[in-house]
Amino acid sequence: MTFSPELEAKLEKLMNSYPPGRKKSALIPMLMFTQDEVGSITPELVEEVARRIGIPTVQVDEVVTYYSMLHRKPMGKHHVQVCTNISCLLWDGDELYEHACKKLGIGHKEVTADGEFSLEEVECMGACSWAPAIQVNYDFHHHVTKEKLDEIIDSLKKLR
Amino acid sequence: MLFNAPSPLEVKILTRRLGLPNSASIETNLANGGYKSFEKSLEMTQDQIIQEVKDSNLRGRGGAGFPTGMKWGFLPRQSPKPKYIVVNADESEPGTCKDRVLIENDPHLLIEGCLIAAQAVGAKAGYIYVRGEYRYLIDILDKAIGEAYSRGYLGKNILGRGVDFDLYTHTGAGAYECGEESALLESLEGKRGQPRIRPPFPAVAGLYQCPTVLNNVETYCAVPSIIEMGGKAWAGLGIPKAGGTKLTCLTGHVNKTGVYELPLGFPVEKMINEVGGGIRGGKKMKAFIPGGSSCPVLTGEEAWPLTMDYDSMAKAGTMLGSGGVIIMDETTDMVKAALRIMHFYAHESCGWCIPCREGTAWLKKLLTRLNQGVGTAKDVDLVGDLADNMLGKTFCPLGDAAALPTASIVRKFRHEFEAKLARTLIAVPDMANKPFVIV
């Protein structure tokens, strides 16, 4: 597999970040960075990452199954993550999540038919003092109301 | 960017540069005293640096509260293996969002803290393990690290003083368990984030089985001011046995939620009413968690007279933890809260130890049943029994983290569980694998 020149440069820097003989340390960052470009952890990507690091594919697979941000299935272009953990729950994060389900017409870890949006009910993402919070891909949104959520999604729809 | 307005009651030591224009840049940092403490540490011996940290009474800010100076002192002085500095920026304890504020606004403070720690123990390389969700912080850190290299604060022969230190960022990929030190090291080595059996502790056999200093972001960020002020003066900011200031995240039903730097020993009442602007809607406080959802829950009456420090919280049967304060007013449904907390731990249990893997799953099932109003009185007892049976029986503290809040909620708010008991017994669908939607 080949990646964009920017990603290749990033991966090269990554591989040089660890001491000699410790290349396996690059595994999780490499999966995260390549997933961002490829869209999901495909079987080809698992093989490519294993080849670059020099480990058996099973060692890649056992990591992929462990970490919640690594997906085998492609998520939507805009992955909407709503936190319902305790601090967000106290500011009605659960109602916000249900509102997001209705607004997008999908449930937990589902993708809209056009592939534009996916939804995930996530655990605490470190925005507790500015609850309820959501993340769209890597972007945080704080103090999110139902109206604000609608605005965020509608503005992303216009980007198409 | 600042997330919330500062409070006049704050004692701004770690956060003093926050709010300055371009506070994340090395120019702002250097113009406001940045890297001065590192330069001072270059004139000190390893013992002197560690002694200052010991004198400061600094205790680990990630939640466990272990004395930092003592931890650094455990590293072997002479080691044939390289030594490492590892930063735990896997902030994921529910209720905690302080490390993010520090890194976003003053990444050079963290770099300087790492440099001083490296000086203290003789480490040549360090890794900042940042949780996957905080990708934008990695960009901020990488930029700051690049600036530090170009100004000669990182790399070979730092400031012409013959000292070498390289610092790298490393992303996680979504796992609460990786905030536990030994699981973090496994993850940093490219493996599943499952804890290691200890001893040996990281100070002796950490990253790549080499001596490693592993601390929380806030702990490293405290070090430059300790070196600058002197350990004893820094300790004087807090109370005896608990030195300095602590970043406190006010979350939940309080008017001015936010992250505030308060001296240790700060009264809870003043923190909620003056810093936090009181309970939302003028209501009564029903429950209080001092430092992240893994701490035992206190009732409002228990919490009001306390102070925010390790000993005061331990005496009250809970922990200061990570500083993630969770405040629940009288309208909070404690059964629902207990279920949500357990849902999290069941999701995050790494599955290695049976008491945690099975215990969290069963507790979640029982609490789901109770929350749906179809539980029985026996279920309430069983929740308490299961939680007690998990305590102290797992390799890492996640099992305790799940059991402690649950056991305390059942004990202190049993009447709420009883009010939800089933009037008639009916079969309950298995909810264990469904996403958490409260009905």
Side-chain angles (χ1 to χ4, degrees), chain B residues 46 60 75 78 231 299:
Chain B
Q46 295 189 339
L75 267 84
Q78 301 298 329
T299 62

Side-chain angles (χ1 to χ4, degrees), chain B residues 77-154:
Chain B
R77 227 6 91 75
Q78 301 298 329
S79 163
K81 295 176 178 175
K83 296 174 195 171
Y84 292 102
I85 301 294
V86 177
V87 182
N88 186 343
D90 190 66
E91 177 169 67
S92 27
E93 177 67 31
T96 317
C97 47
K98 63 190 175 60
D99 297 341
R100 197 180 143 194
V101 175
L102 285 171
I103 296 176
E104 178 167 348
N105 293 290
D106 198 355
H108 287 284
L109 178 66
L110 176 60
I111 298 172
E112 188 179 2
C114 293
L115 277 162
I116 298 170
Q119 272 298 100
V121 300
K124 301 270 178 265
Y127 294 92
I128 307 174
Y129 185 104
V130 185
R131 66 179 299 187
E133 290 84 349
Y134 286 180
R135 174 65 63 83
Y136 80 108
L137 292 185
I138 294 191
D139 297 337
I140 290 171
L141 277 167
D142 282 342
K143 182 166 178 263
I145 289 171
E147 289 174 335
Y149 270 103
S150 63
R151 301 282 184 122
Y153 288 105
L154 285 172

Side-chain angles (χ1 to χ4, degrees), chain A residues 30-97:
Chain A
M30 189 181 283
L31 286 167
M32 286 285 279
F33 297 153
T34 51
Q35 174 181 260
D36 289 343
E37 188 165 294
V38 176
S40 63
I41 307 288
T42 60
E44 299 75 43
L45 181 58
V46 169
E47 289 201 10
E48 178 66 18
V49 167
R51 189 186 65 74
R52 287 183 183 228
I53 294 182
I55 54 175
T57 51
V58 66
Q59 291 189 13
V60 181
D61 283 325
E62 63 182 26
V63 159
V64 173
T65 53
Y66 183 83
Y67 294 92
S68 61
M69 291 177 77
L70 300 173
H71 306 283
R72 301 252 191 203
K73 228 173 50 170
M75 289 289 138
K77 199 166 105 194
H78 308 290
H79 186 44
V80 180
Q81 300 145 81
V82 183
C83 176
T84 61
N85 206 316
I86 186 75
S87 293
C88 284
L89 179 76
L90 295 173
W91 286 89
D92 302 322
D94 54 338
E95 288 175 22
L96 187 69
Y97 172 70

Side-chain angles (χ1 to χ4, degrees), chain A residues 17-18 25 36 62 65-69 84 87 90-91 94 121 123-124 126 128-130 135 138 142, chain B residues 3 95 100 127 131 133 135 170 173-174 187-188 191-193 208 250-253 257 280 336 340 344 436:
Chain A
S17 299
Y18 306 96
S25 276
D36 289 343
E62 63 182 26
T65 53
Y66 183 83
Y67 294 92
S68 61
M69 291 177 77
T84 61
S87 293
L90 295 173
W91 286 89
D94 54 338
E121 185 195 20
E123 297 301 344
C124 184
C128 317
S129 285
W130 315 287
Q135 240 187 330
Y138 290 112
H142 298 141
Chain B
F3 296 102
R100 197 180 143 194
Y127 294 92
R131 66 179 299 187
E133 290 84 349
R135 174 65 63 83
H170 180 103
S187 180
L188 186 48
K191 293 178 255 178
R192 292 165 76 91
Y208 312 127
L250 290 185
T251 80
H253 296 149
T257 57
R280 190 176 67 169
K336 186 170 157 181
R340 186 61 188 92
F344 170 69
F436 182 82

Side-chain angles (χ1 to χ4, degrees), chain B residues 313-376:
Chain B
M313 288 300 160
K315 253 183 240 156
T318 184
M319 308 182 284
L320 185 67
S322 60
V325 175
I326 304 169
I327 291 157
M328 305 183 210
D329 74 14
E330 57 191 305
T331 63
T332 311
D333 176 344
M334 294 309 289
V335 183
K336 186 170 157 181
L339 171 58
R340 186 61 188 92
I341 291 172
M342 188 50 61
H343 176 84
F344 170 69
Y345 290 106
H347 182 264
E348 299 298 337
S349 174
C350 81
W352 191 33
C353 326
I354 296 162
C356 174
R357 183 184 67 213
E358 296 297 313
T360 52
W362 276 103
L363 282 171
K364 188 176 134 190
K365 278 186 200 183
L366 285 168
L367 290 167
T368 302
R369 201 145 84 188
L370 287 162
N371 186 53
Q372 288 177 324
V374 288
T376 66

Side-chain angles (χ1 to χ4, degrees), chain B residues 161-231:
Chain B
R161 301 292 296 270
V163 177
D164 301 340
F165 186 66
D166 289 305
L167 190 60
Y168 307 94
T169 54
H170 180 103
T171 178
Y176 167 74
E177 179 57 18
C178 292
E180 194 279 331
E181 60 176 13
S182 66
L184 184 149
L185 293 170
E186 288 288 294
S187 180
L188 186 48
E189 292 181 10
K191 293 178 255 178
R192 292 165 76 91
Q194 290 177 333
R196 295 174 180 171
I197 296 173
R198 279 151 297 164
F201 289 94
V204 178
L207 183 62
Y208 312 127
Q209 297 299 313
C210 298
T212 301
V213 172
L214 208 173
N215 286 119
N216 173 258
V217 169
E218 189 187 346
T219 312
Y220 285 111
C221 287
V223 173
S225 50
I226 290 170
I227 297 299
E228 182 192 333
M229 298 168 69

